[in-house]
Amino acid sequence: MIRTQIQLQNEQIIWLKKFALENNISMSQVIRDCIEAYRAHSERNRELSAKKKKALLAVGSFATGNETEDSGLRDEG
């Protein structure tokens, strides 16, 4: 592991210390766990965004076989 330094706001350090104490883990472990959770969340969002973009590109790409009805035109005859 690589040692690093971070600056936290007062509310963040209070929460971090309390959470670590309540869960009997180090503050460093809490930070590592939070980073992994955020990373997984970000990767999931990126994958969903790519799938959503692909799905939106497909909208309207396929014929239904009833183009007259789909286009809003009616046979008035």
Side-chain angles (χ1 to χ4, degrees):
M1 277 193 243
I2 299 172
R3 175 175 232 125
T4 189
Q5 244 182 359
I6 61 171
Q7 293 181 338
L8 300 173
Q9 295 175 355
N10 192 46
E11 300 84 26
Q12 292 171 322
I13 196 70
I14 290 169
W15 177 87
L16 179 60
K17 286 180 179 181
K18 182 179 176 189
F19 186 86
L21 186 61
E22 289 172 352
N23 291 280
N24 199 31
I25 56 177
S26 69
M27 290 191 305
S28 296
Q29 187 61 50
V30 174
I31 293 169
R32 286 190 294 269
D33 292 346
C34 288
I35 290 170
E36 282 305 309
Y38 188 81
R39 182 176 156 193
H41 174 77
S42 296
E43 289 173 3
R44 241 186 336 269
N45 278 348
R46 188 174 22 255
E47 290 170 6
L48 289 175
S49 292
K51 287 180 182 179
K52 182 178 177 181
K53 185 176 181 179
K54 188 175 178 181
L56 288 174
L57 289 172
V59 171
S61 300
F62 302 98
T64 62
N66 194 351
E67 306 331 316
T68 304
E69 188 176 312
D70 287 347
S71 67
L73 299 175
R74 291 192 182 134
D75 185 10
E76 299 290 331

